[in-house]
Amino acid sequence: TSATDTWDFNKAISGTYTNLHPVVDTASGSGAVFFSLKKPLHHITLTGNAQLSNSSTAVGRTTMLVVDRSASNHALSFGNAIKWPDATEPTWADHRYWVVSVTCLSSFVNLASATGYTV
């Protein structure tokens, strides 16, 4: 193309909006539950008390978790590699649903923040 050519956005992208959605990992579990930083979004439903830990760490990778503690209000915790604002892990019992963002700072440190919801 030259500087005088126009670019037709509608021709450049084919398909529907659904083609642009990120890969979503949907899982349920209890005990040790792992989520991969290679996937941008996880929906996790707890079937019992669980400790979530991440895998596939690499500096700069970021993922979002949507966690449902279920109607049974299962206990939730994260491994020591997860660092929370003010060094305080959220009080998970306050809400059933949580949206958690995790960003890999180094191979041993992952920064996280969480927002709880009651629907």
Side-chain angles (χ1 to χ4, degrees):
T1 62
S2 71
T4 59
D5 289 340
T6 59
W7 191 61
D8 186 343
F9 183 77
N10 292 322
K11 288 182 183 175
I13 299 200
S14 62
T16 63
Y17 174 74
T18 57
N19 294 342
L20 301 175
H21 286 192
V23 173
V24 178
D25 182 35
T26 302
S28 60
S30 62
V33 176
F34 292 90
F35 59 92
S36 171
L37 285 175
K38 285 185 176 180
K39 296 183 180 175
L41 183 60
H42 302 267
H43 285 209
I44 301 170
T45 301
L46 301 184
T47 58
N49 297 340
Q51 179 173 355
L52 275 62
S53 298
N54 58 332
S55 63
S56 303
T57 58
V59 173
R61 284 188 180 163
T62 299
T63 191
M64 296 288 293
L65 312 171
V66 177
V67 180
D68 178 357
R69 294 179 48 247
S70 84
S72 300
N73 292 320
H74 299 301
L76 173 64
S77 65
F78 281 79
N80 292 335
I82 302 292
K83 304 302 178 193
W84 301 97
D86 297 324
T88 304
E89 188 168 343
T91 305
W92 304 111
D94 290 349
H95 301 283
R96 174 178 174 175
Y97 300 98
W98 288 88
V99 176
V100 181
S101 66
V102 179
T103 300
C104 183
L105 185 63
S106 72
S107 56
F108 301 106
V109 177
N110 298 278
L111 306 178
S113 64
T115 302
Y117 297 89
T118 300
V119 180

